[in-house]
Amino acid sequence: MWKFLRLSAFCLAANASSDCLTVCTVNRMAASLITIDKLKALSPGQFENVVYDLVTSAGLRNAVWRTPGSDGGRDIEGEMETTDFSGFHVITKWYVECKRYASSVDWPTVWDKIAYADSHEAGYLLIVTTAMLSPQCKTEASNWNSKRRMPAVRYWDGTNLEQLLMHYPGILVKYDLAADTKLAPAAFMALAQQTSKVVQAAYGASEMANHDNAALEAASALAELLTVRIRDAETGGKFAKSPFVTLVDGFHWLKVSGNGAELGGFDRHGLRALFALLRHVTGTKTATAEVAPGVIRVTLPAGRLPSAAATTLLTEVSLWGDLEVRVEGQDFIISRRP
């Protein structure tokens, strides 16, 4: 593992040196390692989870499930923040429809989803499918968009999915979509990079005799998560979840309220990493986690919400714990998957 971490650090420092296997090179390799057939072989729930991980990795924030849809499946609602040239921040609402189809998606299907997305005041509707949109559907969608009607329609078909997934090798490994096991170590590059950043912060805090060990604690939890996931990959299996046990895995600064027994349904390594990292990036001294079935609500002090960069980091880590994160008001929400 340490050889891999040293290689990761060298690659990052070399900044795409020809002597180093870079993330971009790995991404290009991945294109030939995944097939649409593997995506179609997933269960409907697994495919929905792949889409969730993909859209949140690509930048969708505060993503929540909207279930059940008219077809009985789960759909995703989230927000995308952009900045125009004047510096004005714009938040747009997206509705994501997951379609694991063998045949093409027709216009009536998309039209139904337009009506649903519009009723929820979404600015964009994204259709994600393993199939293709029918020619008529593409024409109608183009006509709809040309009139600037809302929500605007976007789509990722099977070919788009293959191309997009090549940029996220971690998702390929997580769902066993990569045929070549050589891709597995490279999939941990992003997590290794984030771990390196926190370790550096921990080192700086130690050098300055900082008595608050939040950075060291986060670094330790991230290293533990990284070690476990690399071990999972090396044994050729999918993620092995271990239950969170409060008495063993809890933190002295974290007070648990509500149904604490529900924490046993969360992966201990992923949850410990998220808790410790949340404390580190927000600078909070203590926190309370209110636990309900499948959901943990951490209330943060005013002005202590994670920044955009911190949210990206937390989202990256949540993927490796098979968890979902979002912000609601002053609360940081962690959800587990069934």
Side-chain angles (χ1 to χ4, degrees), residues 223-295:
E224 180 182 51
L225 175 62
L226 177 61
T227 300
V228 169
R229 292 300 174 246
I230 290 179
R231 184 181 64 202
D232 289 343
E234 287 176 343
T235 56
K238 296 183 179 180
F239 291 1
K241 293 184 181 180
S242 301
F244 186 96
V245 180
T246 304
L247 291 178
V248 178
D249 302 317
F251 297 99
H252 68 86
W253 49 265
L254 182 68
K255 179 182 177 181
V256 176
S257 65
N259 188 357
E262 283 289 330
L263 290 174
F266 290 77
D267 175 66
R268 68 181 296 264
H269 305 292
L271 191 55
R272 278 180 54 81
L274 273 180
F275 279 152
L277 190 58
L278 180 64
R279 182 191 181 217
H280 169 59
V281 299
T282 59
T284 56
K285 300 298 182 181
T286 61
T288 298
E290 183 180 346
V291 184
V295 178

Side-chain angles (χ1 to χ4, degrees), residues 47 51 54-55 71 75-76 94-101 103-117 124-134 137 141 145 151-158 160-161 164:
F47 178 69
V51 174
L54 181 57
V55 295
D71 55 4
D75 303 316
I76 305 163
W94 286 70
Y95 183 78
V96 183
E97 168 72 11
C98 310
K99 292 293 184 186
R100 189 185 61 97
Y101 277 13
S103 57
S104 61
V105 179
D106 57 23
W107 177 244
T109 298
V110 175
W111 176 254
D112 286 344
K113 294 302 178 181
I114 286 176
Y116 186 84
Y124 292 86
L125 168 66
L126 173 63
I127 304 293
V128 183
T129 178
T130 52
M132 303 287 289
L133 270 64
S134 70
C137 186
N145 291 331
V153 178
R154 302 289 187 263
Y155 66 88
W156 294 342
D157 59 22
N160 296 141
L161 276 178
L164 287 165

Side-chain angles (χ1 to χ4, degrees), residues 161-179:
L161 276 178
E162 287 185 310
Q163 294 172 345
L164 287 165
L165 283 168
M166 65 183 278
H167 296 290
Y168 302 97
I171 298 177
L172 300 184
V173 172
K174 179 177 179 179
Y175 294 98
D176 195 26
L177 297 174

